[in-house]
Amino acid sequence: MSASTSATRAQYGSIAAKSVAAPAGTYHYVTAGVSASWELDLWGKTRRQIESSKALAQASDAQRAGQRLSIAASVASDYFALRQADIDIDFCARSRKYTVIYPG
């Protein structure tokens, strides 16, 4: 679809006005045009392009959801590893407190 406009201003003296059969003076001419065109989709090319674009958008959404799930799983795994390390450190500290070393 396209649109176009144009404007012209013309000034006619008394001699030129006689040649165009108009009274002398200043005239403004404005024209506007609109056109639309379409392509007949006999073989479904446009429909297939739209379906392809929708499928690509869905694939991108699924990939993003997969990445978010992977990040969440990684954060959860790291959290539990940190908690286990805290438990191990606490266990070692308590074991050291109760360990009796006998002189040899």
Side-chain angles (χ1 to χ4, degrees), residues 3-7 30-33:
S4 64
T5 60
S6 67
V30 177
T31 58

Side-chain angles (χ1 to χ4, degrees), residues 19-84:
S19 66
V20 293
T26 302
Y27 295 90
H28 299 279
Y29 299 100
V30 177
T31 58
V34 175
S35 67
S37 64
W38 65 92
E39 181 179 332
L40 190 58
D41 192 15
L42 291 176
W43 307 110
K45 177 182 173 186
T46 304
R47 183 172 11 116
R48 298 292 182 254
Q49 287 175 341
I50 292 169
E51 290 172 356
S52 173
S53 295
K54 287 180 181 179
L56 286 173
Q58 288 177 346
S60 290
D61 288 344
Q63 184 178 14
R64 187 182 66 181
Q67 289 172 346
R68 291 177 74 186
L69 182 62
S70 176
I71 290 169
S74 178
V75 168
S77 176
D78 291 345
Y79 173 77
F80 288 119
L82 177 64
R83 294 300 298 154
Q84 184 62 48

